[in-house]
Amino acid sequence: MLEEEDKLIKKAQKGEAESFGILYDHYSSPIYRFIFLKVNNKSLAEDLFHEVFLSAWQNINNYSHKGFPFSSWLYQIARNRVIDYYRTKKDFTEISDEEDRFITLTAENVIDHSLNMEKIKGALDQLSEEQSNVIILRFINDLSPAEIALVLNKSEGAVRLMQHRAIANLKKILNKKL
Amino acid sequence: MSYDYLLEYLKSLKSINPDSDFLSRSRNLILNQPKRPAYVFHVRNQFLNVFKFSLAIGLSLIMFLSLSGKLFPKNNIFVASLNNKNLIKESLKADINIQLAEVKYYKETSAQVTWALSEIINNENNAAITRLLKEKARENDENP
């Protein structure tokens, strides 16, 4: 959580763009990662990401803390936007375009990373929507089960169960691939 | 594949990051968008709060009136079933009625059963005497 996040949110709610800018800078990477792994397409992920933050900026006055972290609110907007995208796009066919899948990597282990990523992304695509959400949020974006429960509107116990099943399924899928 | 190895695989996806040029472009576009004025949300939230409060009061009132029997007629089964005292009274009354009906039934039926049994016995006796007389008459005919 960002330091003095509450103050930044209150300022943003009063219309201070720079305060929202700080929140944007802090949460842009994990939210983009979440969207990218859900849609597997760079330009589409960028479009959805932009819509998510635009919606967050325009509706920030709707956000009230009440034990609900700002990050969870953003993830909820992102999740709903991805769901809407798949609902409206009926002829969803993913074309694998390596140029389109631009990913910023660290210099070391570039080859290993890209090989692993392709395998993992392929395996994540085979999981159910909720299981892939749990895996992305828990192990890639490092959210706690309690935070994931808030994002997915489930109980913490249900999230732990989903996590257990998702890991087991992911193992099975990857074992077949290897 | 071990759990640790799988986690390592998953951690490798942390290197996915948005393009920095895209980020700054998107950021500028968003922050230059006019934000809806706060009073719109304020008015809407106030309206929602008033609506929720009125709904809660309204439902409570309906519940109260229905329980007190003022909203529905007194012979309403639902309302009657909520009154414990009446239910107990009704059940006791029903029990007594059933017992009285049983007594009346046994009283009426016992006399009838007695009469029917005596009739059967008499009939049986008459039939036996007739049969005996017939047999004697046949014996006399055969051995004059």
Side-chain angles (χ1 to χ4, degrees):
Chain A
M1 192 174 157
L2 195 59
E3 217 173 294
E4 297 192 324
E5 192 173 272
D6 287 349
K7 283 182 186 171
L8 287 171
I9 293 165
K10 275 176 189 160
K11 282 181 184 173
Q13 283 175 331
K14 284 175 186 164
E16 269 190 37
E18 264 319 299
S19 299
F20 186 78
I22 297 168
L23 292 166
Y24 176 96
D25 293 339
H26 185 74
Y27 289 111
S28 56
S29 286
I31 296 290
Y32 174 83
R33 200 176 296 134
F34 174 75
I35 297 171
F36 178 83
L37 287 167
K38 297 301 291 178
V39 296
N40 232 350
N41 179 300
K42 188 204 167 203
S43 53
L44 180 58
E46 286 180 349
D47 288 349
L48 295 179
F49 169 85
H50 182 78
E51 285 174 26
V52 166
F53 272 92
L54 185 62
S55 170
W57 170 231
Q58 290 187 327
N59 296 294
I60 196 163
N61 288 75
N62 270 348
Y63 171 77
S64 57
H65 191 276
K66 291 178 185 169
F68 198 84
F70 187 67
S71 60
S72 302
W73 186 65
L74 286 176
Y75 276 116
Q76 273 201 342
I77 299 173
R79 179 176 168 248
N80 289 338
R81 191 63 202 89
V82 170
I83 290 170
D84 284 348
Y85 166 73
Y86 280 115
R87 266 191 204 142
T88 49
K89 188 159 177 71
K90 287 174 184 169
D91 300 326
F92 176 69
T93 46
E94 191 50 53
I95 301 160
S96 176
D97 182 352
E98 286 307 316
E99 278 187 7
D100 207 32
R101 290 180 175 193
F102 178 82
I103 296 158
T104 310
L105 293 172
T106 50
E108 65 268 45
N109 300 328
V110 174
I111 299 166
D112 276 358
H113 263 113
S114 48
L115 279 173
N116 286 349
M117 263 192 266
E118 288 311 309
K119 280 179 198 162
I120 290 279
K121 276 194 287 179
L124 281 175
D125 282 346
Q126 291 180 48
L127 292 178
S128 70
E129 194 237 332
E130 296 222 306
Q131 285 186 354
S132 75
N133 281 342
V134 170
I135 293 285
I136 295 167
L137 296 173
R138 182 82 184 99
F139 299 105
I140 302 165
N141 280 358
D142 292 329
L143 264 69
S144 68
E147 283 173 308
I148 298 170
L150 287 172
V151 175
L152 303 181
N153 205 14
K154 304 258 181 207
S155 69
E156 212 178 311
V159 168
R160 286 181 195 279
L161 193 68
M162 274 199 287
Q163 179 188 317
H164 178 73
R165 284 181 183 154
I167 285 286
N169 283 347
L170 202 60
K171 266 188 193 176
K172 266 187 210 167
I173 295 163
L174 286 169
N175 280 336
K176 279 181 195 169
K177 285 190 173 217
L178 291 173
Chain B
M1 178 182 278
S2 71
Y3 182 75
D4 292 339
Y5 196 52
L6 180 63
L7 286 191
E8 279 302 308
Y9 260 44
L10 289 169
K11 299 281 177 206
S12 71
L13 295 178
K14 281 189 178 181
S15 56
I16 296 171
N17 281 310
D19 179 19
S20 55
D21 288 342
F22 159 74
L23 269 188
S24 61
R25 234 183 11 253
S26 165
R27 189 182 195 273
N28 287 335
L29 279 171
I30 290 167
L31 297 183
N32 285 324
Q33 284 279 327
K35 189 174 155 292
R36 281 180 205 152
Y39 73 84
V40 173
F41 294 98
H42 182 72
V43 168
R44 202 184 67 174
N45 288 342
Q46 287 296 320
F47 175 76
L48 276 174
N49 285 340
V50 169
F51 177 74
K52 278 182 200 169
F53 183 71
S54 318
L55 193 70
I57 293 288
L59 286 173
S60 310
L61 199 66
I62 289 170
M63 186 68 98
F64 175 75
L65 288 174
S66 65
L67 286 175
S68 64
K70 285 179 182 169
L71 193 65
F72 300 108
K74 277 192 175 176
N75 57 358
N76 185 305
I77 295 168
F78 172 72
V79 177
S81 67
L82 294 173
N83 191 330
N84 279 345
K85 282 181 185 173
N86 277 351
L87 280 175
I88 292 164
K89 269 185 195 172
E90 265 181 43
S91 64
L92 288 172
K93 208 173 161 186
D95 201 26
I96 291 162
N97 285 341
I98 290 166
Q99 285 173 9
L100 286 173
E102 275 180 7
V103 168
K104 195 183 171 192
Y105 170 77
Y106 288 127
K107 198 178 170 187
E108 283 173 2
T109 51
S110 61
Q112 286 172 357
V113 167
T114 315
W115 177 81
L117 285 172
S118 63
E119 276 295 303
I120 290 165
I121 292 161
N122 286 341
N123 286 345
E124 280 284 315
N125 287 344
N126 289 341
I129 290 163
T130 314
R131 202 167 51 244
L132 201 68
L133 286 171
K134 276 182 183 174
E135 277 175 17
K136 283 285 172 194
R138 199 169 53 243
E139 276 175 22
N140 287 339
D141 289 344
E142 284 170 4
N143 306 312

